[in-house]
Amino acid sequence: MDKPCTLLVHFDKGSAAMANEIKADLEGSDVAAKVEAMKRAVMLLLNGETLPTLFITVVRYVLPSEDHTIQKLLLLYLEIIDKRDAAGRVLPEMILICQNLRNNLQHPNEYIRGVTLRFLCRLSEPEVLEPLVPSILENLQHRHHFIRRHALSAISSIYRLPHGDQLIPDAPELVERALDTEQDASARRNAFLMLCLCGQERAVAYLFSNAERVTEWPDLLQMAAVDLIRKVCRSPNRADKGRYIKIIISLLSSPSTAVVYECAGAIVSLSSAPTAVRAAANTYCQLLSSQSDNNVRLILLDRLNELRTSHRDVMVDVVMDVLRALASPNLDVKKKVLDLVLDLLTPRNVEEVVLYLKKEVVKTQSGELEKGGEYRQMLVQAIHSCAVEYPEVAGSVVHLLMDFLGDTNVAAAVDVVLFVREIIETNPKLRVSMIQRLSDTFYQIRASRVCSIALWILGEYSLSLSEVESAISTIKQCLGDLPFFTVSEEGETTDSSKPAQPMVNSVTVSSRRPVVLADGTYATQSAATETISTPSAAPGSFASTLNLRSLILSGDFFLAAVVACTLTKLVLRLEEVQPSKIEANKACTGALLVMTSILQLGLSSYLPQPIDNDSYDRIVLCVRLLCNTGDDVRKIWLQSCRQSFAKMLAEKQFRETEEMKAKAQISHAQPDDLIDFYHLKSRRGMSQLELEDEVQDDLKAATGGFTKETDDANRLNRILQLTGFSDPVYAEAFVTVHHYDIVLDVTVINRTKETLQNLCLELATMGDLKLVDRPQNYTLAPESSKQIRANIKVSSTETGVIFGNIVYETSNVMERSVVVLNDIHIDIMDYISPATCADVTFRNMWAEFEWENKVAVNTVIQDEKEFLNHVIKSTNMKCLTPPSALDGECGFLAANLYAKSVFGEDALVNISIEKQADGKLSGYIRIRSKTQGIALSLGDKITLKQKGGS
């Protein structure tokens, strides 16, 4: 990415002494000195110097030189210098170079002829070009293709001048004859392009006459033919569109990948028939599998995604071809492939897609893939989406994915357990097998968050007697023997964890520390975790590591509270399904022992940090509940929690459905639009493709697909006044933002009675903006106007500023006049768009991003939700917090917003506000991003907009 340069490069401006040195070197006989002098002269001219006395020296001492480098520099010099006077007439000195140019066009050396012809393409003075036309036309018959190629370019440039048809009136006929006999690929391309620009009918006739041989053309000429077809088919008269489409389809078999890519794009723009769209989609898929460049693959996936938005029914058939791009090692390519495939799921292909994704998950176990953990996480999320939309496929993958609950990549393991949690609720048929599988694999889990969710699943969905007993047994095995530590007055370390099976080898890792007892004596406090090695860890065997015990001994009391809640639910359900009260009481006693042991550990001085108040209160509540249970409380613990989860899933599904409806394109036809009845049309002479295209056009017309609504008011808002009405030069700009480019169409009006000479629009930028074009000088007649276009590249999401002035000269004033322009501020809102992401992804990015901008709330709005909606509208962001979490009136509000820029940058916003006693809102808006520019720009935007202004 281009960054602003802070190094000042010194360049000596022209002076009389330097001009004399250049003249002296040019008058000498040393060729190397002449070359350096010409280079210095060209550099000075490019930097604004005029060097008026140098021209005669160049004519006398440089024109006669035979050196090729000097001749090339001479042509550059002649291209740069001013060739007209203040009145707009050609300088009389320019006549001196005409003879030299004519001699060069007849030079025996092909290089001299070629570079001279190329130079003539840049001349726009008819007085200089007119005597050279016969020599230019003679070069069309030269034996060397290098000269013929540039002669055709020169003829095309001259003919396209304002009065070029008077200089070479029969240019299209000459070029057409040359095209029929030409064999060189580049020369044929130049000739065909000239016909496309200056004689389109001749170009079309040539294309149709060679329609059978167009596949044999060189790729340069094929590209020119595709461009011609695009241009011709934009016109209202589309009588021969079927013939053009046949040519495009024949070019899809070209060996050139560039031609094939352009043909695929052209056929979609020309026809909406399923046959044409299917051919384009297959072409993109073939290129996707054959190209190794990741950038090319990303572009092809973008094209396929565009096809999906308008021709989803056709794209469904190529979903497996798209999936083959997962073989790419690049994660960005994989992510785009998965996103595209998930949008093409149907009941017909979902099983095949899930089976392919299942094979990819198995491949990630080999460890050969780079970033295999991240790829596995993406696959799990994709399978999750498939199973949620089509629950019937969940059974084929859920048991495989449950093997990854103990994945070292914590994010992937969290995605798996979230997937399990949702499937077990939405797919009751799999509940029994999933609970059994979860109990068998629970010992593999190493992450605290995964353990917490898995425990919640066991507590909520273990319904039968065997399932409840198995869940309680699994939890007790992973906790080990109780208590968690022992105290010995003799100072000996006592192992509190005993082997559960005498036939296995055990190694106990103990830690001890001295404590002071109540009576002032010393004792040793110890805690042990036990590592048990077995010959084979079959499902259901004793754990290789006591995962719950080690996590709780590390100070994770939130997990300990989850263990207590899970045991409470299991014991309450056991009391309902267990006919024997003795067994139920025994289980209740065991659960109480676990909870009191956790409380003992949390209140002891063994761990550096004691148990937190929330976890303590939660565990104590569980103890009280098991000691005295009422029917209402039992109903809350055993039913209400699962009902709330089901309600959350239903709301999530409803929100996703509403978003899909909002994204759907809504088009309306006008009541007086013409309706063509397809079955009443004459089909004589029409191919199947043309018939399909007619049907698609009729459908679009009936549904309003051809209607384009133009927001004239929005267009007027983008016109910015750059100067005042009283300035001698009035200027206004129309700003168009094309993601990576900003186009300024500046209208300059001369409001004086004098001719403005050397008028130049000088622009400069601040921020990550870069001016592309070099400013050009214009001559503006009295009370006339000129359209000047400036292109600016954008490299990051940052509020930029474009400033500058208009400089011009008049015949009355010797000095240059300057009109300062108003600044143009580029809004960050043009580059960011609302986006969605998972809560886990949002939290991970929030912890990862280093740039934060904290904005204090300062607004006249007094309602929390109104202020939130105002920020969302002002920042063009998406609120990730569900509406149900924002319901109610409590005086507090916290919400997360998310947006993505066109450059792939993420913008995260957290709003935390509180309503004060006086009714005003207070709090902070925190913005985080990976780059500084978007954080600062978004903060400035929020600061400007949060008061409720427009």
Side-chain angles (χ1 to χ4, degrees), residues 15 122 127 136 153 161 188 233 252 254 379 419 453 549 568 570 640 652-653 711 716 726 800 820 885 890 907:
S15 61
R122 300 178 178 89
E127 295 86 350
I136 296 173
S153 297
L161 291 175
R188 292 175 68 186
C233 289
L252 288 175
S254 172
L379 290 171
F419 170 64
I453 301 174
R549 185 182 187 90
T568 302
L570 292 172
S640 299
K652 176 183 175 185
Q653 184 68 25
D711 191 355
L716 290 174
S726 60
V820 180
C890 62

Side-chain angles (χ1 to χ4, degrees), residues 149-298:
R149 180 191 312 164
H150 290 297
L152 288 166
S153 297
I155 292 173
S156 176
S157 299
I158 294 172
Y159 191 80
R160 284 185 284 119
L161 291 175
H163 301 287
D165 54 345
Q166 299 177 7
L167 296 176
I168 316 178
D170 57 345
E173 299 175 12
L174 294 173
V175 172
E176 187 176 13
R177 286 200 297 268
L179 179 59
D180 290 333
T181 59
E182 185 58 60
Q183 299 298 321
D184 179 66
S186 297
R188 292 175 68 186
R189 171 184 173 274
N190 289 350
F192 190 77
L193 284 178
M194 189 273 175
L195 292 180
C196 293
L197 295 172
C198 307
Q200 195 175 89
E201 296 82 4
R202 296 177 184 271
V204 170
Y206 180 79
L207 178 63
F208 284 155
S209 63
N210 293 271
E212 301 297 330
R213 298 188 299 273
V214 71
T215 54
E216 303 171 4
W217 285 4
D219 54 353
L220 290 175
L221 195 55
Q222 289 177 344
M223 293 284 282
V226 174
D227 290 339
L228 172 66
I229 292 174
R230 284 179 184 268
K231 185 183 299 184
V232 171
C233 289
R234 289 195 191 103
S235 60
N237 183 17
R238 305 190 300 175
D240 295 325
K241 192 174 75 166
R243 300 176 66 183
Y244 293 125
I245 293 176
K246 289 178 183 178
I247 295 174
I248 292 291
I249 291 179
S250 66
L251 287 176
L252 288 175
S253 59
S254 172
S256 171
T257 55
V259 173
V260 170
Y261 173 79
E262 289 296 330
C263 288
I267 195 172
V268 174
S269 64
L270 297 180
S271 172
S272 57
T275 304
V277 177
R278 192 173 293 110
N282 290 329
T283 301
Y284 286 141
C285 290
Q286 291 172 6
L287 292 174
L288 190 63
S289 58
S290 63
Q291 297 300 309
S292 58
D293 188 281
N294 291 326
N295 293 319
V296 174
R297 285 176 171 175
L298 291 172

Side-chain angles (χ1 to χ4, degrees), residues 567-834:
L567 287 174
T568 302
K569 293 178 183 178
L570 292 172
V571 169
L572 293 176
R573 187 163 285 115
L574 185 64
E575 292 176 356
E576 293 183 350
V577 298
Q578 174 62 266
S580 174
K581 297 297 182 182
I582 298 176
E583 293 296 328
N585 291 336
K586 185 179 178 181
C588 181
T589 305
L592 288 172
L593 177 60
V594 171
M595 298 177 199
T596 53
S597 299
I598 293 172
L599 292 175
Q600 182 187 16
L601 175 66
L603 297 175
S604 69
S605 58
Y606 171 73
L607 295 179
Q609 294 291 335
I611 186 172
D612 58 283
N613 293 332
D614 291 337
S615 300
Y616 177 83
D617 294 340
R618 190 72 170 168
I619 297 173
V620 170
L621 176 64
C622 293
V623 173
R624 291 176 178 172
L625 181 62
L626 290 180
C627 295
N628 185 12
T629 306
D631 293 338
D632 293 338
V633 176
R634 184 185 296 272
K635 182 179 179 181
I636 292 173
W637 279 74
L638 296 183
Q639 297 179 16
S640 299
C641 190
R642 197 190 318 170
Q643 291 172 358
S644 299
F645 178 61
K647 183 179 178 182
M648 185 192 79
L649 291 180
E651 183 180 347
K652 176 183 175 185
Q653 184 68 25
F654 175 77
R655 193 164 65 247
E656 291 176 353
T657 305
E658 291 297 317
E659 289 177 358
M660 291 179 62
K661 290 180 179 178
K663 289 180 181 178
Q665 184 177 3
I666 301 174
S667 54
H668 303 283
Q670 296 298 321
D672 57 346
D673 283 349
L674 179 66
I675 298 178
D676 290 331
F677 291 93
Y678 164 69
H679 294 285
L680 301 181
K681 284 187 176 181
S682 173
R683 307 184 189 181
R684 186 178 301 172
M686 296 180 68
S687 64
Q688 180 63 29
L689 183 62
E690 291 176 284
L691 291 173
E692 292 180 7
D693 206 25
E694 290 288 341
V695 175
Q696 294 298 321
D697 288 349
D698 291 345
L699 288 175
K700 284 187 175 181
T703 58
F706 289 137
T707 60
K708 294 184 179 179
E709 299 179 2
T710 56
D711 191 355
D712 294 333
N714 187 33
R715 184 176 177 88
L716 290 174
N717 289 337
R718 293 188 174 274
I719 296 179
L720 304 175
Q721 183 179 341
L722 301 181
T723 62
F725 292 111
S726 60
D727 290 322
V729 176
Y730 175 77
E732 63 182 20
F734 177 72
V735 182
T736 307
V737 179
H738 297 293
H739 292 338
Y740 296 92
D741 301 296
I742 299 174
V743 180
L744 298 181
D745 290 308
V746 183
T747 303
V748 181
I749 302 175
N750 180 7
R751 304 181 67 247
T752 66
K753 301 294 185 180
E754 299 177 349
T755 300
L756 305 183
Q757 304 164 7
N758 294 327
L759 185 142
C760 179
L761 175 66
E762 297 179 348
L763 297 176
T765 60
M766 185 172 65
D768 285 342
L769 306 176
K770 181 182 178 183
L771 190 64
V772 177
D773 301 328
R774 184 168 61 90
Q776 187 176 354
N777 292 345
Y778 300 94
T779 299
L780 208 56
E783 298 183 352
S784 64
S785 63
K786 181 72 179 178
Q787 293 282 344
I788 303 175
R789 172 166 290 190
N791 293 312
I792 295 170
K793 289 287 183 183
V794 185
S795 58
S796 73
T797 309
E798 182 178 348
T799 300
V801 180
I802 305 171
F803 55 93
N805 48 55
I806 294 177
V807 183
Y808 60 91
E809 297 175 354
T810 59
S811 56
N812 298 336
V813 183
M814 299 300 295
E815 296 182 356
R816 306 188 76 180
S817 302
V818 178
V819 178
V820 180
L821 306 178
N822 291 331
D823 295 343
I824 301 175
H825 294 267
I826 304 302
D827 195 353
I828 187 178
M829 295 301 103
D830 293 325
Y831 303 108
I832 67 173
S833 57

